[in-house]
Amino acid sequence: MDSVVPNEKNTGEEDVAEASAVAEDAGGEGAGDGGAGGGGAVEEDAGGKDTAPAPREASRTAPWYRRRAPVCSLVGALVLAGGAVLLCLPGERAGRGTASAPAPGALAHAAVGAGVPAALPGLKALIDQRESRVREHPRDARSWAVLGAAYLEQGRRTAGADVLYPRAERALRTSLKVRPKDNPEALDGLAALANARRDFRAALAHAEDARRRAPARWTTYAQLIDAYTGLGDYKKAGRALERLRELRSGPAVLARAAGVYWEQGRREDAQAALADAAAGASSPAEEAAWLERAGQLAWERGEREDALRHFRAALRRDPDQRAAQAGQGRALAALGRTSRAVTAYRAALEGQPLPQYALELGELYESSGRTSAARAQYALVRERVRADAAGGVDGELVLGLTEADHGDPASAVRRLRAEWRRQPGIAVADALGWALHRAGDDKEALRFAAIATDRVHGGAVFSASYAYHRGMIERGLKRTASARRHLREALEINPYFSPLHARAARAALKALGEPADVPLPAPPASG
């Protein structure tokens, strides 16, 4: 794809040749066809039911794909400036039979335009369509923008960041070169790509440029929220959410609001927003994504069974939902079903080998005494961070945490100091504080741990791991009362937050002279 960007001085024939190069390059390598690797809900109980909690009564309208009625569906056009084209699909007749479902490519087209998850088979169909389109019409800026957004979503849902993210960037920049002005679609796509790469400063620059050009384009504000959050500016993230809600309503906005609510400590509001988002989803893949996020929130509260129900429900909607498979692993491990947890993690890693999943599986192995298997997973973390770096992904956060606990803490400190200078978000503050503690500098470590946990800083005060990190740092400084308080807080938030560190938190509390009178995680089991 080195020749993807057309030269504006080229003739039409030269543009067609250059556009053909991108499609030919994209056709075989690394794109994936969706659905490969399969997997699904890890079932350990006979007759297990899909019992994820029902959404609130006000939002129980069933999505189109669960209704038997002739309907019109949102398909076929990229969502532009908060609008979409409402099309009645061929073959739908008033009052007769079941409505035909939209074609996978049309569903994916609508999804990537609205910034919501799309199914992998639909993404492949959409990519094939757009590649054909730009071969024939290499100066179609909108098709290049759609193609870039589709590459990005495919890369985000698979292991293809090293190939697909650069491909997405070239398509989006080609769109801007073809149409330098009045092209907020491409700028939105570049902002989304930068957020996916954890390059929050670049994401903010692209999103602000898009907002200047099209202030009423609602999708831009979703990218601003992610960028501000990554940079630790929660006040601006909140203001961007307010503006987004003025411009748009619906599942995508509710899901975005849930993330902001969670950071603000409004846990019930976050959960209700995700329930409503899932109820209003326009495709199984979108519903699965919101169910998976609801499972994450339940997990963060230590609600193992509720989290597992959400993750299973997500996988029934979309078997390619790898985050839900990893979530199953987390919940099953907390329930003591270690072998099934390992199976779930392996399925997630097969379809989407994210470094975070490898780290979690490694710690599960280590908690079970399988040290060689754990070391193999920690090596995989390093390997995947290197591979993703080829696609521009910043993996320093997860790599720093891995090195702090399972490698070279001094290296972790160096990496995370540099990350803090680049983008001083709450997650980076927590990781840097923990790395400093592991390297023996508890005094400086406490400064960063406080940023991550104090309400005055807008920190994620309901994170069990952040509270645990701060408590252990304070224990090292012999601040006994404060250490006890934060260690207890960690176990009260989620007594199962880590197979390794929850155990260490209980041991530390006992050493401080106070038993942990909170529910304790089940010990790892062999079945």
Side-chain angles (χ1 to χ4, degrees), residues 59-154:
S59 299
R60 286 188 178 173
T61 302
W64 62 265
Y65 52 88
R66 296 195 195 169
R67 298 200 298 269
R68 293 181 60 85
V71 294
C72 294
S73 301
L74 286 171
V75 297
L78 185 66
V79 177
L80 300 174
V85 177
L86 186 64
L87 299 178
C88 288
L89 298 174
E92 294 178 355
R93 298 180 181 180
R96 290 189 59 187
T98 302
S100 300
L107 276 177
H109 195 171
V112 299
V116 300
L120 287 177
L123 285 169
K124 183 177 186 304
L126 176 61
I127 287 169
D128 289 346
Q129 293 163 7
R130 293 300 98 183
E131 287 174 351
S132 295
R133 173 70 182 177
V134 297
R135 283 192 196 101
E136 297 174 5
H137 304 277
R139 303 195 66 80
D140 182 346
R142 184 169 296 174
S143 284
W144 281 111
V146 173
L147 180 59
Y151 285 146
L152 168 58
E153 178 66 3
Q154 192 177 48

Side-chain angles (χ1 to χ4, degrees), residues 302-322:
E303 297 171 359
R304 300 170 295 175
E305 295 86 353
D306 190 31
L308 185 57
R309 283 193 294 269
H310 278 94
F311 294 138
R312 284 179 176 169
L315 284 162
R316 289 191 177 101
R317 308 296 188 270
D318 181 3
D320 293 318
Q321 228 318 325
R322 307 303 179 186

Side-chain angles (χ1 to χ4, degrees), residues 21 58 63 102 106 221 223 357 378 391 419 428 433 487 519:
Y221 293 89
Q223 302 310 322
Y357 301 164
Y378 303 145
E419 187 75 359
V428 180
L487 290 169

Side-chain angles (χ1 to χ4, degrees), residues 75-315:
V75 297
L78 185 66
V79 177
L80 300 174
V85 177
L86 186 64
L87 299 178
C88 288
L89 298 174
E92 294 178 355
R93 298 180 181 180
R96 290 189 59 187
T98 302
S100 300
L107 276 177
H109 195 171
V112 299
V116 300
L120 287 177
L123 285 169
K124 183 177 186 304
L126 176 61
I127 287 169
D128 289 346
Q129 293 163 7
R130 293 300 98 183
E131 287 174 351
S132 295
R133 173 70 182 177
V134 297
R135 283 192 196 101
E136 297 174 5
H137 304 277
R139 303 195 66 80
D140 182 346
R142 184 169 296 174
S143 284
W144 281 111
V146 173
L147 180 59
Y151 285 146
L152 168 58
E153 178 66 3
Q154 192 177 48
R156 188 158 36 199
R157 296 211 55 190
T158 66
D162 54 340
V163 172
L164 290 163
Y165 283 7
R167 194 170 289 168
E169 181 172 5
R170 286 192 283 266
L172 291 164
R173 292 197 181 280
T174 299
S175 178
L176 277 177
K177 187 168 185 178
V178 171
R179 192 172 72 200
K181 298 180 180 179
D182 189 28
N183 195 350
E185 300 97 319
L187 291 169
D188 265 6
L190 287 169
L193 175 61
N195 276 320
R197 286 168 158 171
R198 288 188 52 79
D199 185 355
F200 299 117
R201 292 193 187 281
L204 183 59
H206 290 306
E208 286 182 335
D209 194 2
R211 178 172 56 180
R212 283 192 294 270
R213 295 167 188 254
R217 182 180 170 82
W218 68 274
T219 52
T220 300
Y221 293 89
Q223 302 310 322
L224 285 169
I225 290 168
D226 286 351
Y228 285 136
T229 300
L231 293 169
D233 195 335
Y234 291 93
K235 289 184 178 179
K236 286 186 178 179
R239 288 199 291 270
L241 175 61
E242 290 174 6
R243 180 59 176 149
L244 173 59
R245 299 194 72 173
E246 290 171 1
L247 293 169
R248 185 78 172 184
S249 62
V253 176
L254 286 165
R256 191 71 59 173
V260 176
Y261 295 157
W262 183 260
E263 295 289 350
Q264 294 172 343
R266 297 164 57 185
R267 294 181 290 178
E268 291 76 14
D269 289 342
Q271 200 72 32
L274 281 174
D276 286 352
S282 59
S283 73
E286 183 187 354
E287 184 184 8
W290 309 149
L291 286 168
E292 187 277 327
R293 290 194 191 178
Q296 286 188 43
L297 295 193
W299 166 254
E300 289 288 340
R301 296 195 306 270
E303 297 171 359
R304 300 170 295 175
E305 295 86 353
D306 190 31
L308 185 57
R309 283 193 294 269
H310 278 94
F311 294 138
R312 284 179 176 169
L315 284 162

Side-chain angles (χ1 to χ4, degrees), residues 358-371:
L359 175 58
E360 291 179 20
L361 178 55
E363 292 187 343
L364 178 58
Y365 281 140
E366 187 172 339
S367 73
S368 305
R370 300 173 64 180
T371 54

